[in-house]
Amino acid sequence: PSGPSLTTQQDWAPVVFQKSGPKGKASKSASEVNAARRSGAAVDTDKKFSAGGNKSAHSVVPNAKKLDENTETFKHDTVSHDFKMALQQARLAKKMSQAALATAINEKQSVI
C-alpha cells in the first residue's frame, strides 16, 4: 500500500491541563487572606472601582461632578491678523504654496 500504515497504535488517553493557583503575594482568596490575618501578617486589600462588574466603562464616571460643575470654556490661543499677513507675504515671496510650507515645517496644511 502506498498510504500511511493503519496498523499504528494511537494513544486516546485524555490530557488534562490545569492552571495552578497564584503563589506568594498574588494569592488573594478569602480563606488565604483570613489565614494571613490570623497569623498576624500584614494584609493589604484594595477594592477596585467597579471591578468584576459587567458594566460599560462609560456608565459611571468617577469625576462627573467635577465635569458638571466646571463652567470654564477653553480655547486655544490664535495668532494675530498681522502675523497671518506677514506669514502669507513671506510664503508668497518664496513662491511656496500652503502645502509646500506645511511639508517644509512638518505640519498639517490645515494649520497653515
Side-chain angles (χ1 to χ4, degrees), residues 3-82:
S5 177
L6 298 176
T7 61
T8 59
Q9 295 293 332
Q10 294 184 2
D11 186 13
W12 290 99
V15 177
V16 179
F17 295 99
Q18 291 182 342
K19 182 176 178 181
S20 63
K23 294 178 175 60
K25 293 182 179 180
S27 56
K28 298 175 184 169
S29 71
S31 62
E32 290 172 342
V33 170
N34 288 334
R37 285 184 180 143
R38 281 192 298 274
S39 69
V43 176
D44 184 26
T45 58
D46 292 328
K47 173 86 173 138
K48 295 188 178 182
F49 180 76
S50 68
N54 190 12
K55 297 179 182 176
S56 170
H58 307 292
S59 63
V60 177
V61 179
N63 58 352
K65 185 176 178 183
K66 286 183 185 178
L67 293 171
D68 289 339
E69 292 173 353
N70 190 359
T71 57
E72 295 179 46
T73 56
F74 298 100
K75 291 185 177 180
H76 291 289
D77 293 333
T78 57
V79 296
S80 66
H81 184 69
D82 294 334

